[in-house]
Amino acid sequence: MKAGLSPRLFLVVFMGILLLAPLTLSAFYITLLNYIGLYAMVALGLVLLTGVGGLTSFGQAAFVGIGAYTTAVLSTSAELPAWIAWAGGAPWISLVVGLVLTAAVAVLIGSLTLKLSGHYLPLGTIAWGISLYFLFGTMATLGGHTGLSGIPAISVFGVELLQGHQVYYLIWAFLLLGIFTTRNLLDSREGRAIRALKGGIVMAEAMGVDTARSRMVIFVIAALLACASGWLYAHMQRFVNPTPFGLHLGIEYLFMAVVGGAAHVWGALVGAGVITVLKQWLQDVLPKLLGESGNFEIIVFGILMVLILHKARGGLWPIIVAGVNRVVPIRVDRRRIDPNATPLPRRNMPAAGDVLLEARDVTRRFGGLVANNNMSLSVRAGEILALIGPNGAGKSTMFNQVSGVDTPTSGEVLFLGQSVVGKGSRAISRLGMSRTFQHVKLLPTMSVLENVAIGAHLRGSKGVLASAWRMDRVEEDRILAEAARQIERVGLAEHMHDEAGSLALGQQRILEIARALASDPCLLLLDEPAAGLRYKEKQALGDLLKRLRGEGMGVLLVEHDMDFVMGLVDRVVVMEFGEKIAEGLPEEVQKNPAVLEAYLGGVE
Ligand code: ADP
Ligand code: MG
């Protein structure tokens, strides 16, 4: 372990400064800090949503508005309708009502927009962001464009938070709570599922992650953080109108997250701080410098943003950490692996020789192209079947048909006796089939350990709340111990804590095998696992596969490397132009004239 100062120490110093700040600062700076705290809370939601989950939203200001207006209406209306009258006049109750309403609106909006991909999603968020903004300005009960005033201050233990420095503590307590729970969440089973979204839906689903659910989870959490910010804002200002809840602020929140470092929870705070202070400062300085009044800050601000996006794509937080590290080394605390954690439960393995997978007459057409034509194959427990054939023969397509990534045009696929056509890869992986990818799909900035732990997703059950409040540690220890065991099994132990992206391509393929094994499969599908491996590594891989076979695992292997296949597998299926041209023992197939003609003749 590297020596250096514990990150905890920095945290304690930071909290100390926060605690003492109001005692030394003027009212102006306290207000500034209050705004930074409020903005950071919204930006924190965007770190989760955009930085981690890869879903860009310009509409967060609208959720701030829902939080602010809910409490404004509930605490100022003289006559509330009977059904909601119980919630009137009590800010803490209207916070709860606001959060429930926000969650409901977020689920509704999310179910309509989160299915959109590419740039359609950000456009969708702009659309509902604008709609909600106009709703705030149009509804008479919300005070139209004049807004609502006379909002009471929040009381905590009977003390009314009337002054800036009083609200300050509440705002920062909320923000820190948000930061810590978000950080806990990201470092958990549920958090890995969220982070897996960036590795692509195909990979995440194949590891058993319900990606639609994960997207919804982060969308709702981001909305709730925005709502809480709005609630605090309304009671701090004691007044609301629609202006701060429009698209303009929606864009600014996104800037904060990106500038601060959208992949880090503390980036939200840095971004909110830098942008708020910078804007204030430019607003003061520029007119004096230029001798003219006007909104020059917006122009300079825009240029600065472009520069930051150019020069520091990861945002300011990683730069700050690197800078501090150069002065005083910060200790990197590795995740402890508990070798004594109770092993995760294992599935009942089928008996050796049982048929695991059976594909019958599978045909897949892409328009006029028949990529698979009446393909049949079967894999038994305790056997390695190789699917070989020249490039473009249809091997990967066949892989996708049996693993649920794609659906055959016609034909039947049975796994453990049941039809899995149209089931989807998540359901199939739950049944005990796990795979690797021809084009490696992993999360390069996550450690090898965490990447492999994604494979064990379906073997745990702890959800968002348990993770956020650290009530998942027993299960988490078991999952990480399992991941570590698989990493040792495939021979990557020395890279356990390295970033997955720093491994050589061959090792990344091995990592994918460990990840697949972490799901405790009975059938392993490997798409060209030996590609990019050196001779020694191929030997080690071959030994591993033989060991797995000995334990009763079935393996379906797509491979190019003939020598690798011939010394290893039990049976071979040869494809050409989407069809099966031969099947049999390796030495038989090797002598088959059709195969020699189609494949070996051309390649060797
Ligand atoms: P292999 O893995 O044996 O090299 P593939 O299964 O990747 O071959 O491809 C078989 C054929 O199907 C190729 O001609 C390829 O271009 C075509 N193909 C594969 N996927 C698609 C797709 N999604 N849409 C259209 N054509 C496809
Ligand atoms: Mg292929």
Side-chain angles (χ1 to χ4, degrees):
M1 197 171 285
K2 207 173 86 176
L5 292 179
S6 159
R8 284 243 164 92
L9 190 68
F10 288 90
L11 197 60
V12 169
V13 171
F14 175 67
M15 305 260 279
I17 295 172
L18 275 184
L19 205 63
L20 299 176
L23 306 179
T24 55
L25 294 176
S26 68
F28 171 80
Y29 284 106
I30 293 174
T31 307
L32 203 62
L33 282 177
N34 284 346
Y35 274 104
I36 291 173
L38 293 175
Y39 292 153
M41 222 180 292
V42 187
L44 178 63
L46 283 172
V47 163
L48 193 61
L49 189 64
T50 306
V52 178
L55 307 175
T56 308
S57 168
F58 289 96
Q60 296 311 105
F63 289 122
V64 182
I66 294 180
Y69 270 105
T70 305
T71 200
V73 169
L74 289 178
S75 53
T76 60
S77 287
E79 284 173 46
L80 286 169
W83 63 271
I84 192 76
W86 55 273
W92 287 100
I93 294 180
S94 57
L95 170 64
V96 177
V97 175
L99 290 172
V100 171
L101 179 65
T102 302
V105 173
V107 168
L108 182 71
I109 292 178
S111 56
L112 295 175
T113 48
L114 289 180
K115 287 199 191 80
L116 300 174
S117 57
H119 43 260
Y120 293 103
L121 175 66
L123 287 178
T125 65
I126 291 176
W128 56 254
I130 293 177
S131 313
L132 284 171
Y133 168 71
F134 278 100
L135 188 74
F136 299 140
T138 316
M139 278 177 67
T141 40
L142 303 183
H145 282 280
T146 350
L148 296 168
S149 53
I151 301 171
I154 300 166
S155 294
V156 178
F157 301 120
V159 180
E160 267 199 293
L161 308 182
L162 290 163
Q163 306 285 327
H165 68 267
Q166 294 171 311
V167 193
Y168 167 93
Y169 286 109
L170 188 64
I171 290 175
W172 283 83
F174 263 70
L175 175 63
L176 290 177
L177 189 70
I179 288 180
F180 292 135
T181 47
T182 305
R183 206 177 55 165
N184 290 347
L185 172 63
L186 287 176
D187 174 35
S188 73
R189 166 183 179 271
E190 194 78 56
R192 281 187 297 271
I194 292 165
R195 291 152 85 190
L197 292 174
K198 273 211 164 164
I201 286 183
V202 172
M203 184 277 279
E205 289 275 335
M207 294 304 125
V209 174
D210 185 342
T211 53
R213 180 180 166 280
S214 286
R215 285 158 80 102
M216 185 62 92
V217 162
I218 52 177
F219 190 66
V220 171
I221 295 176
L224 292 177
L225 285 164
C227 166
S229 170
W231 175 76
L232 286 161
Y233 170 82
H235 290 285
M236 180 181 90
Q237 288 290 86
R238 322 280 299 276
F239 160 79
V240 291
N241 75 358
T243 315
F245 311 127
L247 189 59
H248 178 73
L249 258 286
I251 295 170
E252 212 158 295
Y253 286 128
L254 195 57
F255 263 138
M256 289 176 189
V258 172
V259 166
H264 309 271
V265 287
W266 293 103
L269 179 55
V270 172
V274 166
I275 289 192
T276 310
V277 171
L278 200 66
K279 264 180 74 174
Q280 188 65 42
W281 182 70
L282 289 174
Q283 233 165 22
D284 290 347
V285 166
L286 286 177
K288 282 182 206 150
L289 272 181
L290 298 168
E292 249 180 280
S293 61
N295 293 345
F296 302 112
E297 78 276 3
I298 296 180
I299 301 165
V300 176
F301 191 69
I303 296 169
L304 281 175
M305 288 305 105
V306 174
L307 280 179
I308 290 184
L309 294 182
H310 256 287
K311 298 283 174 204
R313 298 210 123 205
L316 296 173
W317 179 251
I319 298 176
I320 295 173
V321 172
V324 172
N325 230 333
R326 233 169 284 141
V327 186
V328 273
I330 307 171
R331 201 174 67 211
V332 182
D333 290 327
R334 282 179 177 171
R335 190 70 175 78
R336 196 181 54 90
I337 297 160
D338 180 5
N340 301 320
T342 324
L344 291 169
R346 298 203 52 189
R347 78 178 74 241
N348 292 326
M349 290 295 260
D354 283 4
V355 175
L356 300 176
L357 177 72
E358 190 165 11
R360 291 186 196 144
D361 301 324
V362 168
T363 296
R364 179 63 168 111
R365 294 175 206 278
F366 296 113
L369 179 91
V370 189
N372 286 159
N373 192 6
N374 276 325
M375 277 296 299
S376 298
L377 55 82
S378 65
V379 186
R380 292 169 183 276
E383 125 176 296
I384 305 179
L385 176 76
L387 185 59
I388 66 171
N391 251 328
K395 306 181 295 294
S396 291
T397 304
M398 187 63 195
F399 235 62
N400 290 341
Q401 309 310 309
V402 298
S403 61
V405 169
D406 197 8
T407 309
T409 314
S410 68
E412 186 59 279
V413 179
L414 299 171
F415 182 52
L416 299 174
Q418 50 175 304
S419 172
V420 291
V421 169
K423 273 211 156 138
S425 56
R426 175 157 38 100
I428 294 177
S429 80
R430 188 180 281 279
L431 292 174
M433 188 193 303
S434 199
R435 66 171 294 181
T436 65
F437 296 89
Q438 180 176 356
H439 305 287
V440 173
K441 292 183 198 296
L442 40 74
L443 295 144
T445 59
M446 272 165 68
S447 70
V448 170
L449 182 68
E450 287 181 297
N451 267 285
V452 173
I454 294 174
H457 183 75
L458 287 174
R459 301 172 74 185
S461 63
K462 292 289 183 209
V464 175
L465 288 178
S467 313
W469 298 101
R470 280 284 190 247
M471 292 181 301
D472 63 338
R473 292 295 101 176
V474 173
E475 183 185 277
E476 179 72 0
D477 279 346
R478 298 176 73 187
I479 290 178
L480 291 181
E482 171 69 12
R485 204 170 300 134
Q486 301 303 343
I487 291 167
E488 281 159 15
R489 193 179 189 186
V490 301
L492 282 180
E494 58 179 316
H495 298 291
M496 187 93 68
H497 300 281
D498 296 350
E499 279 191 359
S502 72
L503 300 185
L505 181 64
Q507 292 172 322
Q508 296 189 356
R509 290 192 183 287
I510 303 293
L511 186 164
E512 285 210 338
I513 296 178
R515 185 177 65 191
L517 289 174
S519 72
D520 186 29
C522 58
L523 176 66
L524 201 55
L525 266 52
L526 309 175
D527 201 347
E528 306 213 7
L533 261 61
R534 286 189 288 257
Y535 180 69
K536 275 255 161 33
E537 294 170 328
K538 277 183 195 169
Q539 270 186 330
L541 173 63
D543 290 343
L544 171 68
L545 295 183
K546 282 178 195 161
R547 242 182 302 138
L548 293 173
R549 169 174 62 190
E551 291 167 22
M553 181 110 49
V555 181
L556 173 60
L557 185 76
V558 163
E559 197 42 77
H560 245 91
D561 187 326
M562 209 49 59
D563 294 335
F564 179 70
V565 167
M566 291 305 163
L568 173 69
V569 308
D570 300 291
R571 285 187 306 125
V572 183
V573 169
V574 190
M575 287 184 80
E576 191 189 17
F577 302 126
E579 298 189 14
K580 180 157 77 179
I581 57 166
E583 177 168 11
L585 300 171
E587 47 276 18
E588 291 170 7
V589 166
Q590 227 169 355
K591 291 188 208 117
N592 184 317
V595 176
L596 286 171
E597 171 70 21
Y599 189 61
L600 300 174
V603 172
E604 302 288 283

